[in-house]
Amino acid sequence: MKFFGYRRSNGRAGTRNHVLVFPTIVCASTVAQMISGRVAGTVCAIHGCGCGHVGEDKEQVIRTMVGFTGHPNVAGVLLVGNGCELITPDVIAGELVKDGQRVEATSIQEAGGTSKCVEEGIRLAEKLLAEASSLERESIDISELILGLECGGSDAFSGLTANPALGVASDLLVAEGGTVIFTETTEMLGAEQILAKRAGDAEVERDIYEKISAAEAKAKSMGMDIRGSQPSPGNIEGGLTTIEEKSLGCIRKGGSTTIVQVVNYAEKPSKKGLVIMDGTALDVQSNIGLIASGAQVIAFTTGRGTPVGTPSVPVIKVSTNSDTYERMKENIDINAGVIIDGKGTIQSVGKQIFGELREVASGKVTKAEILGHREFDIPTLGPVL
Amino acid sequence: MQEKAILIDKRDNVATALCQLGKGDSVQVGVEDFTSDTALLENIPFGHKFALRDIQKGGAIIKYGEAIGLATKQIRHGEHVHVHNVESQKGRGDKQ
């Protein structure tokens, strides 16, 4: 089975052909936005990171930036720095060049201030855009697709409609030789025994228990009941009572195949099949981690309704109930609420999601893309020093 | 035809309302050859759970065939099952 994607010079397959303007430090955010605003057709992603990171936190921020800017949906990237930061454009560019990514860089201090840096940045972004615009889609095997899974604004129907239907789509992609990554470790609390039973080997089983118990230890270290955050007030109003109930519903989106690997946040899997990425339960941070891990399409289920997209990777929204779909039609691509209404089944909606995945991978725009949703965030692990 | 409520696993002792249900409504749910009848003792909002049998204080609430928490008080057959009478066993930093 095939889709139409962009074959990059380093061999990877993309589903979009973006030119990205990316500040490596928060201080360069405005300049990056000015450049992107002046070069139509580019995308920009701003964040609060780039300085004050140490140890594991520094490693994770750099891994996220490298994975995100070197992603196959990015045809070329312009990195913008200030000059005195910890993570300069050179730190990221060095990794990207090794990986064969097309990259340009500019810095405010070196260019001689804001205006000069914006002028130089515009020139470089225009060059990248001209190069990217000559590339064409070609037929690529669907086994090269990595689907990221996400759920946000869950309700009691998430585990009954949208998540099991997405599970069917996940199983179909894995059966075609593709890869599916699911994340949000906190939302696995109470489901660890079920996930561990599906581990491909003893190492994966150990990793599953380790990551989930670390997430629980972190939650407990706050000295409080996590109810109110997990489940959130919106989840509780929607009928979810405990984190265990939410987790058992959440994990259904991963389908029923063997879990082949557990990776860290923003780490690329080395195996194909169903993979767990360790990470927080904040939707936007999860999306960016999934992208940095290589996902070229994200499928996102929602009970209460959420608008978020990403700067570079399409997000397919699936609603769990028809009320939310009717209220937020402009944000939602597929309504799994038909399963409650008796107008569809978990199987039929699952096949619909899989069909949509192929079309979106081949260029069909999602609702979040049409509306211009490009939310971006990088999680930090420790105090910023 | 649309069902009023759904039972996911026959081991479950709660079902989920598929529409707003009222006190006094009688609801039948089933999975495979198993069915269960309930007369609701209170209103159940869309998406919320009700008890399919009496659950003792400290007893497990079962959904998806798995424990999703423990009853903090006696729950009668037909009562609303939610945060007012169920507590989680996970992430309880307050109980350390």
Side-chain angles (χ1 to χ4, degrees):
Chain A
M1 198 179 277
K2 306 281 183 185
F3 75 101
F4 285 93
Y6 293 95
R7 178 66 73 193
R8 302 299 174 199
S9 55
N10 61 10
R12 295 215 187 93
T15 63
R16 292 294 180 269
N17 197 42
H18 290 297
V19 168
L20 173 67
V21 181
F22 187 82
T24 59
I25 170 73
V26 59
C27 314
S29 303
T30 300
V31 167
Q33 283 176 305
M34 285 174 170
I35 296 167
S36 182
R38 290 273 300 277
V39 187
T42 61
V43 293
C44 184
I46 61 167
H47 53 84
C49 296
C51 250
H53 310 288
V54 290
E56 204 188 331
D57 183 39
K58 179 182 165 188
E59 278 172 37
Q60 179 171 292
V61 170
I62 292 177
R63 189 167 70 236
T64 307
M65 288 187 182
V66 169
F68 182 77
T69 57
H71 190 275
N73 281 16
V74 177
V77 57
L78 169 63
L79 301 171
V80 186
N82 184 30
C84 52
E85 62 272 16
L86 174 74
I87 305 175
T88 59
D90 284 351
V91 172
I92 305 300
E95 295 299 315
L96 296 184
V97 167
K98 266 191 260 170
D99 197 39
Q101 174 66 309
R102 181 73 180 92
V103 55
E104 294 286 354
T106 181
S107 284
I108 299 165
Q109 291 170 0
E110 206 175 310
T114 296
S115 304
K116 285 181 181 163
C117 190
V118 170
E119 286 312 312
E120 186 183 335
I122 290 170
R123 189 179 55 76
L124 294 170
E126 284 172 347
K127 190 165 88 176
L128 291 173
L129 197 64
E131 288 172 20
S133 63
S134 65
L135 301 173
E136 287 179 4
R137 286 185 184 268
E138 57 189 275
S139 178
I140 292 174
D141 199 84
I142 205 160
S143 64
E144 293 193 43
L145 268 190
I146 301 175
L147 173 66
L149 307 182
E150 182 45 47
C151 53
S154 297
D155 66 5
F157 296 109
S158 301
L160 301 176
T161 60
N163 287 348
L166 182 51
V168 169
S170 297
D171 285 350
L172 288 170
L173 182 59
V174 170
E176 290 290 336
T179 300
V180 174
I181 309 178
F182 72 114
T183 182
E184 301 181 301
T185 318
T186 323
E187 295 172 1
M188 298 176 196
L189 286 182
E192 48 271 65
Q193 330 78 293
I194 299 175
L195 292 171
K197 266 187 229 155
R198 285 171 49 199
D201 58 41
E203 190 187 339
V204 174
E205 185 182 353
R206 191 198 61 211
D207 287 349
I208 290 171
Y209 278 120
E210 259 182 33
K211 297 293 187 194
I212 300 176
S213 51
E216 185 174 21
K218 207 158 143 194
K220 279 182 173 173
S221 71
M222 308 296 283
M224 295 165 80
D225 184 352
I226 60 167
R227 183 145 74 187
S229 174
Q230 286 290 8
S232 70
N235 295 153
I236 291 172
E237 201 184 316
L240 287 174
T241 305
T242 63
I243 182 62
E244 295 94 309
E245 181 182 16
K246 182 172 173 179
S247 298
L248 290 162
C250 277
I251 64 162
R252 301 189 98 196
K253 62 187 184 294
S256 59
T257 57
T258 300
I259 299 164
V260 297
Q261 196 175 8
V262 178
V263 296
N264 289 316
Y265 182 88
E267 186 189 355
K268 290 184 179 63
S270 58
K271 292 180 179 171
K272 289 194 170 201
L274 183 63
V275 173
I276 290 177
M277 181 188 84
D278 188 26
T280 65
L282 201 58
D283 303 339
V284 174
Q285 295 181 350
S286 302
N287 282 341
I288 301 311
L290 289 167
I291 295 171
S293 289
Q296 309 109 318
V297 180
I298 292 170
F300 191 127
T301 66
T302 182
R304 313 280 295 170
T306 161
V308 304
T310 84
S312 55
V313 167
V315 177
I316 301 170
K317 289 277 165 49
V318 185
S319 61
T320 70
N321 68 83
S322 298
D323 283 357
T324 296
Y325 179 71
E326 290 302 328
R327 236 178 332 102
M328 290 185 61
K329 238 179 207 167
E330 70 162 348
N331 297 98
I332 292 161
D333 299 280
I334 291 177
N335 176 26
V338 296
I339 297 166
I340 310 174
D341 306 340
K343 293 174 188 151
T345 63
I346 287 171
Q347 282 298 326
S348 71
V349 177
K351 284 182 186 153
Q352 189 190 349
I353 297 171
F354 185 68
E356 188 77 5
L357 165 65
R358 271 183 81 190
E359 286 187 34
V360 166
S362 301
K364 180 181 175 185
V365 290
T366 63
K367 297 279 180 75
E369 287 180 298
I370 290 169
L371 292 164
H373 277 283
R374 289 174 184 167
E375 286 75 10
F376 184 84
D377 195 15
I378 299 175
T380 47
L381 292 172
V384 172
L385 302 170
Chain B
M1 146 129 187
Q2 195 190 326
E3 303 283 334
K4 285 187 193 168
I6 182 168
L7 172 66
I8 302 162
D9 188 293
K10 56 184 161 191
R11 289 168 292 180
D12 294 0
N13 55 15
V14 291
T16 304
L18 293 178
C19 52
Q20 171 74 38
L21 297 174
K23 181 177 175 179
D25 287 359
S26 57
V27 184
Q28 185 175 71
V29 291
V31 60
E32 297 158 24
D33 53 350
F34 173 82
T35 58
S36 170
D37 293 287
T38 299
L40 295 177
L41 298 179
E42 49 194 330
N43 294 335
I44 308 295
F46 172 68
H48 286 231
K49 296 174 290 296
F50 56 88
L52 296 177
R53 47 188 172 267
D54 291 344
I55 302 167
Q56 296 307 312
K57 181 178 177 182
I61 311 300
I62 311 285
K63 183 182 169 187
Y64 301 108
E66 303 282 337
I68 63 162
L70 300 181
T72 53
K73 54 182 86 159
Q74 159 91 12
I75 301 173
R76 284 178 300 160
H77 182 191
E79 274 185 345
H80 186 204
V81 177
H82 202 23
V83 290
H84 61 289
N85 54 15
V86 180
E87 65 174 8
S88 170
Q89 295 301 102
K90 294 284 176 181
R92 296 301 298 268
D94 59 325
K95 287 206 160 177
Q96 291 191 100

